[in-house]
Structure formats: structure tokens, C-alpha cells
Amino acid sequence: MSELRETFLDELADLYDAEQQITKALPKMEAAAESEELKEAFTSHMEETENQVGRLKQVFELFEKEPKAKKCKAMKGLIEEADELIKEEAGDAALICAAQKVEHYEIASYGSLLSWARLMGEDEAADLLEETLDEERATDERLTEIAESTINVEEAEEEEEEEK
Ligand SMILES: [Fe+2]
């Protein structure tokens, strides 16, 4: 087995575990979110994430491997931080920040996997990875929009209240 193939499968196993951790974390984030828009974003990303796990399984199949999960310590840490924020009732701005850290981790991983798959001539796998990468990027952008619109409005209103 070429070294890149090994590196690819190792990273794939990491991401397979990371996505599963995210499917467990998203309902908690949804429950903690205050704004309807943010709740909706978490719910729709939850559904997407389930499909993403399915796509990773397909990629394993294309490489004639059984799906394998390798504990993703980075995702565990990111989710632990999100859990702390939920406990502290840190608010939507903090939740969005935590969620975007998760998205950026995924974007980095999918980006690498995608370019390695292309290098190895595994275009079918690359296409699947690209589909997910596009979803992660769209989620990230949506979170930015929510942060810029809803949150700012809420914060401004709160400040106004305090001034009164
Ligand atoms: Fe994902």
C-alpha cells in the first residue's frame, strides 16, 4: 500500500469518528440555542451530518475497506468546550463560535482528503468528499450570517434595555 493511501485511510477513520461525535453533539447545541434561526441551522446540519456519515461509508467501500473509526481527539476537545459553553449558558454568539470551530476542523480534513483522492485518481471518492466539503462550507457561511444578523440585533437590544 502506498503511503498516501495509508495516510488517506487513517484520516478517513478520524473523520468517520469526528462526524459521529458531531451527530451526538448537535441536538444539545440545538436545545441550547436561543434564536430560532440558529436552532434551524443546527437541525438542518444534523440531517446533513447523517448523510455525511453515509458518504464516508461509501468512500471506505470504494477503497474496499470496512468503515473504521479512529478516536478523533481534536473533535472530542472541541465538543467538550462546546459543552462547557452550554453549561455556562454562554449564549448564541459563543455557540456559533464553537460550531464554526467544528466546521473549520472538518473543512481542513475534507479538503486534504479530497485533494489526496484526486491525486490517487480516486475520482468517485473525491466527488463524494467534495459534496460534503461544500455542505460544511455552506454551514460555516450560514453561521457567519446568523452571527452577523440575529446576534448583533439581540445584543443591541439588550444594551438598549440596560441603558433604560
Ligand atoms: Fe460534517
Side-chain angles (χ1 to χ4, degrees):
M1 192 159 67
S2 80
E3 219 175 281
L4 186 57
R5 206 178 159 85
E6 229 167 287
T7 307
F8 177 92
L9 289 169
D10 210 48
E11 188 62 38
L12 193 65
D14 175 282
L15 204 45
Y16 187 58
D17 177 72
E19 290 286 20
Q20 292 180 68
Q21 290 190 48
I22 295 166
T23 55
K24 286 178 204 142
L26 276 168
K28 286 188 253 171
M29 297 183 73
E30 190 272 337
E34 283 161 26
S35 96
E36 270 317 304
E37 227 184 326
L38 186 57
K39 277 185 183 292
E40 267 169 43
F42 285 145
T43 304
S44 73
H45 194 51
M46 174 78 215
E47 285 157 20
E48 269 177 354
T49 304
E50 280 163 10
N51 289 333
Q52 292 171 353
V53 173
R55 272 187 216 121
L56 289 176
K57 280 187 194 159
Q58 283 176 267
V59 174
F60 276 111
E61 270 168 40
L62 288 167
F63 280 76
E64 290 168 355
K65 292 279 174 195
E66 284 291 316
K68 194 183 103 185
K70 178 188 164 193
K71 191 88 215 151
C72 177
K73 292 180 204 152
M75 190 55 68
K76 189 168 177 268
L78 290 173
I79 290 173
E80 275 171 10
E81 287 192 359
D83 280 341
E84 276 172 29
L85 295 170
I86 292 171
K87 275 193 208 105
E88 291 163 7
E89 294 180 22
D92 282 2
L95 276 182
I96 290 175
C97 182
Q100 284 191 296
K101 285 178 186 171
V102 168
E103 288 312 310
H104 284 230
Y105 179 88
E106 290 189 283
I107 289 167
S109 299
Y110 278 107
S112 297
L113 281 169
L114 166 61
S115 57
W116 296 338
R118 293 257 184 253
L119 277 173
M120 291 185 288
E122 297 281 353
D123 283 328
E124 215 180 314
D127 290 345
L128 287 165
L129 294 164
E130 196 161 28
E131 233 178 289
T132 299
L133 179 60
D134 288 345
E135 286 176 357
E136 307 293 16
R137 285 195 178 127
T139 300
D140 182 48
E141 276 165 31
R142 190 166 172 199
L143 289 170
T144 299
E145 280 166 20
I146 297 173
E148 285 169 356
S149 59
T150 340
I151 311 296
N152 286 351
V153 172
E154 276 171 18
E155 302 273 301
E157 278 170 1
E158 265 167 42
E159 262 163 48
E160 243 173 63
E161 296 269 306
E162 275 163 30
E163 272 166 31
K164 272 179 203 167

